[in-house]
Amino acid sequence: MRNKITVVGGGNVGASAAINLAIKELGDVVLVDVVEGVPQGKGLDMAQMGPIEGYDVAITGANDYAPTANSDVVVITAGLARKPGMSRDDLLVANYEVVKSVTENIAKHSPNAILVLVTNPLDAMCTVAHHVSKFPKHRVVGMAGVLDSARFRTFIAMELGVSVENVTAVVLGGHGDTMVPVVRLSNVSGIPLSELIPADRLAAIVDRTRNGGAEIVKHLKTGSAYYAPSAAAVEMVEAVVRDQKRVLPCAAWLEGEYGMRDLFLGVPCKIGRRGLEKIYDVELTAAERTALGNSADAVREPMAAIAF
Ligand SMILES: NC(=O)c1ccc[n+]([C@@H]2O[C@H](COP(=O)([O-])OP(=O)(O)OC[C@H]3O[C@@H](n4cnc5c(N)ncnc54)[C@H](O)[C@@H]3O)[C@@H](O)[C@H]2O)c1
């Protein structure tokens, strides 16, 4: 049986995710959007790229959920993206309505799916999807840490003039400017960053990572990043459908890990066929714990605006 992967939201992130899923032949792809014709047109266009690129999967587009039935994995990218000057939390109320209705439809048509949330504000939208779907916590994960740590890795590699392949970077916490890039746990082929980069440069890189999304929004003016975000979501899907047991930073529902509970927050997770298979509860320093606590507060606080 081939895997079936639905991507909801056929905009920048969703369409890029769909084409990456197809190129990697991770399964048949269904692209869903509310705009009539757009997912159908993009789906057909992507299917016609198959003979050229040499991938052999079905890619279809739809405005309803019947064609998504019994998906193995569903990537939710539907909703508004940021414009310059907006924070991710500014999207909360509008995207709450979108993610709520998308999740209701998905839960009805694909009751056994694993959900990978992308829509912002990410940690809040994970909570909405978890609550509305009533899916167990191992089947609802959010994409943010893979992207944020990729940004951190990129900036470290650029600073040192080394391959990104040798850079390991850990980012914990919410997907906002309170995220916690953990310098102590990041390294270049095992060499601690503190031995390679002066403290002031390291602080600037951490700051640039925290504001990595806003930097791109400022350039683009009409929307937010989508190449790296879609690749990050696809990396998570690949870990599921190929049962890779990858250790990736994902937004996960905490039940006591890191001394916190009842919220989604970015933590290191083992991702495999069952979805979230393990959360690694890493010992943190007092300063790191405080920073993570601040990030958790920043995730919780705006959620008072949505009642469910
Ligand atoms: N988690 C992350 O790290 C991360 C990174 C990048 C973007 N994002 C978020 O992903 C979301 C999508 O970003 P984008 O750049 O693709 O935006 P976009 O505007 O290009 O695409 C969004 C798409 O969602 C569709 N849509 C809206 N309501 C819908 C509904 N009810 N059902 C189905 N489709 C619906 C729109 O028609 C549009 O095509 C945004 O919320 C953005 O902030 C998150």
Side-chain angles (χ1 to χ4, degrees):
M1 275 278 282
R2 278 149 69 143
N3 289 299
K4 183 168 179 180
I5 305 160
T6 288
V7 179
V8 188
N12 284 335
V13 178
S16 303
I19 196 66
N20 282 321
L21 291 166
I23 289 170
K24 291 189 157 206
E25 293 190 314
L26 296 181
D28 292 331
V29 181
V30 183
L31 187 62
V32 177
D33 201 288
V34 280
V35 182
E36 234 171 86
V38 164
Q40 292 87 346
K42 289 189 180 181
L44 191 56
D45 190 8
M46 289 179 202
Q48 291 165 357
M49 190 168 146
I52 302 165
E53 279 294 317
Y55 55 77
D56 187 8
V57 291
I59 313 170
T60 49
N63 299 120
D64 69 318
Y65 286 81
T68 72
N70 299 317
S71 293
D72 298 284
V73 187
V74 177
V75 181
I76 300 178
T77 77
L80 301 180
R82 282 196 285 173
K83 299 233 163 58
M86 287 173 88
S87 81
R88 294 179 181 93
D89 287 339
D90 292 334
L91 307 169
L92 181 74
V93 176
N95 284 352
Y96 162 65
E97 295 297 341
V98 171
V99 170
K100 182 170 174 271
S101 88
V102 167
T103 306
E104 282 165 357
N105 281 303
I106 290 298
K108 191 167 139 205
H109 290 87
S110 298
N112 300 313
I114 289 164
L115 306 183
V116 177
L117 273 292
V118 177
T119 306
N120 275 320
L122 189 272
D123 307 274
M125 293 304 113
C126 291
T127 309
V128 172
H130 181 46
H131 181 85
V132 171
S133 66
K134 300 189 175 60
F135 285 4
K137 67 168 192 170
H138 68 90
R139 289 203 281 121
V140 184
V141 285
M143 189 293 291
V146 174
L147 171 66
D148 296 329
S149 59
R151 286 178 171 152
F152 196 18
R153 289 171 65 194
T154 305
F155 298 144
I156 292 164
M158 283 161 57
E159 178 76 11
L160 294 171
V162 300
S163 165
V164 285
E165 277 184 36
N166 295 124
V167 183
T168 300
V170 174
V171 178
L172 303 176
H175 186 48
D177 46 21
T178 61
M179 72 178 76
V180 187
V182 187
V183 170
R184 184 179 59 87
L185 299 177
S186 305
N187 64 74
V188 179
S189 287
I191 308 168
L193 292 187
S194 55
E195 299 210 8
L196 298 168
I197 304 174
D200 60 329
R201 285 297 308 153
L202 211 39
I205 290 170
V206 164
D207 196 52
R208 192 174 178 192
T209 302
R210 286 204 180 104
N211 296 296
E215 184 177 353
I216 291 174
V217 170
K218 211 168 146 200
H219 282 301
L220 294 180
K221 297 181 185 67
T222 54
S224 58
Y226 52 99
Y227 291 116
S230 57
V234 170
E235 186 173 43
M236 291 171 66
V237 175
E238 183 173 19
V240 172
V241 300
R242 300 211 158 121
D243 195 22
Q244 288 175 322
K245 317 290 187 197
R246 297 283 307 274
V247 179
L248 300 170
C250 305
W253 182 248
L254 299 187
E255 290 176 326
E257 297 88 351
Y258 295 89
M260 293 183 228
R261 56 176 57 252
D262 300 340
L263 86 161
F264 275 86
L265 205 63
V267 290
C269 300
K270 189 202 296 183
I271 304 291
R273 189 75 219 191
R274 292 186 69 246
L276 169 66
E277 300 190 351
K278 181 182 169 69
I279 294 174
Y280 293 90
D281 195 352
V282 181
E283 189 75 41
L284 298 178
T285 65
E288 289 160 357
R289 269 202 308 276
T290 303
L292 194 62
N294 291 340
S295 189
D297 291 344
V299 167
R300 276 202 178 99
E301 199 208 339
M303 286 189 62
I306 50 173
F308 58 86

